[in-house]
Amino acid sequence: MKKNLLKGALASVIVLSTVAFTSIKKQIDVKSSTVVWTGKKVTGEHSGTLQFKEGHLMVEDGKLVGGEFTIDMTSLKNTDLEGESKQKLEGHLKSEDFFGIEKYPTSKLVFTSVASKGNGMYGVVGNLTIKNETHPITFDLKYSEDAASTTLSIDRSKYDVRYGSGSFFDNLGDKTIYDNFDLDVDLKF
């Protein structure tokens, strides 16, 4: 009797410990998840979109604990211009002056630490790789069971994207393009 009770208790501990540390890999829906970029210059701004190649969040016991995302840089589109101006800007952004998509067709973000701030908000530290340059980045991410969102501000000059940067070139005047660009990210699962 004692032996069966002990076996039952041990089985319960094993089941509970397995349940207590359930880890789920939540794949994003790449077709409905969005990345909207905004780049600013002295005389205005441009915006557009990028698409995910793949990505997921890691969740344990309903709490966000990690994530990894790959952006398809060849999907870079401009949304505020039309016709020849649109094609020209997209071509320039895809060229070696900016993101060099032929040589670097993807960019990647890997979470290195995640801390809950309460109410579904998380502070995230990650490594962002653009053009084979990797640097740490920090941001807040709002997470719910079927969606997540964030806004990232990225200093392009850290990733060897220097064209028109006042940090590297003098006397650019109104041709100066600001180093930081923003990404508004909405993830769907």
Side-chain angles (χ1 to χ4, degrees):
M1 176 85 165
K2 281 185 179 180
K3 201 175 197 182
N4 286 339
L5 187 59
L6 185 59
K7 283 182 184 178
L10 183 58
S12 295
V13 169
I14 290 170
V15 168
L16 288 175
S17 66
T18 304
V19 171
F21 297 106
T22 301
S23 181
I24 300 169
K25 185 176 186 178
K26 295 187 74 159
Q27 297 288 345
I28 63 168
D29 179 343
V30 294
K31 293 188 190 283
S32 62
S33 297
T34 60
V35 179
V36 176
W37 59 264
T38 303
K40 298 179 181 178
K41 55 187 181 173
V42 172
T43 58
E45 66 181 47
H46 290 293
S47 59
T49 61
L50 288 160
Q51 294 177 343
F52 286 100
K53 185 171 184 175
E54 60 189 359
H56 67 271
L57 290 177
M58 293 302 297
V59 178
E60 287 182 6
D61 297 325
K63 295 188 181 191
L64 183 63
V65 295
E68 187 172 312
F69 302 90
T70 302
I71 295 286
D72 177 4
M73 295 303 291
T74 66
S75 71
L76 189 147
K77 299 281 186 232
N78 167 263
T79 56
D80 65 288
L81 298 174
E82 294 180 1
E84 188 178 326
S85 296
K86 172 185 172 72
Q87 292 172 356
K88 189 175 177 181
L89 178 60
E90 286 176 358
H92 197 200
L93 291 172
K94 291 178 179 182
S95 77
E96 286 297 319
D97 281 347
F98 284 92
F99 296 103
I101 64 152
E102 284 188 30
K103 191 173 181 181
Y104 309 104
T106 61
S107 293
K108 190 169 197 169
L109 173 64
V110 178
F111 292 9
T112 56
S113 70
V114 179
S116 176
K117 292 183 165 188
N119 296 322
M121 187 65 73
Y122 292 84
V124 177
V125 178
N127 287 324
L128 178 63
T129 302
I130 300 174
K131 292 179 75 174
N132 271 358
E133 295 280 335
T134 302
H135 296 281
I137 187 168
T138 59
F139 57 94
D140 288 339
L141 180 90
K142 181 75 173 168
Y143 169 75
S144 68
E145 194 171 311
D146 59 353
S149 62
T150 188
T151 298
L152 306 167
S153 184
I154 299 167
D155 181 350
R156 68 186 175 97
S157 67
K158 291 181 177 181
Y159 302 93
D160 197 29
V161 182
R162 298 179 176 183
Y163 184 86
S165 170
S167 298
F168 295 96
F169 302 101
D170 294 328
N171 304 317
L172 292 171
D174 66 1
K175 302 282 188 209
T176 301
I177 302 168
Y178 298 124
D179 288 340
N180 281 25
F181 66 93
D182 296 326
L183 297 177
D184 290 317
V185 181
D186 284 306
L187 304 174
K188 304 292 184 202
F189 304 97

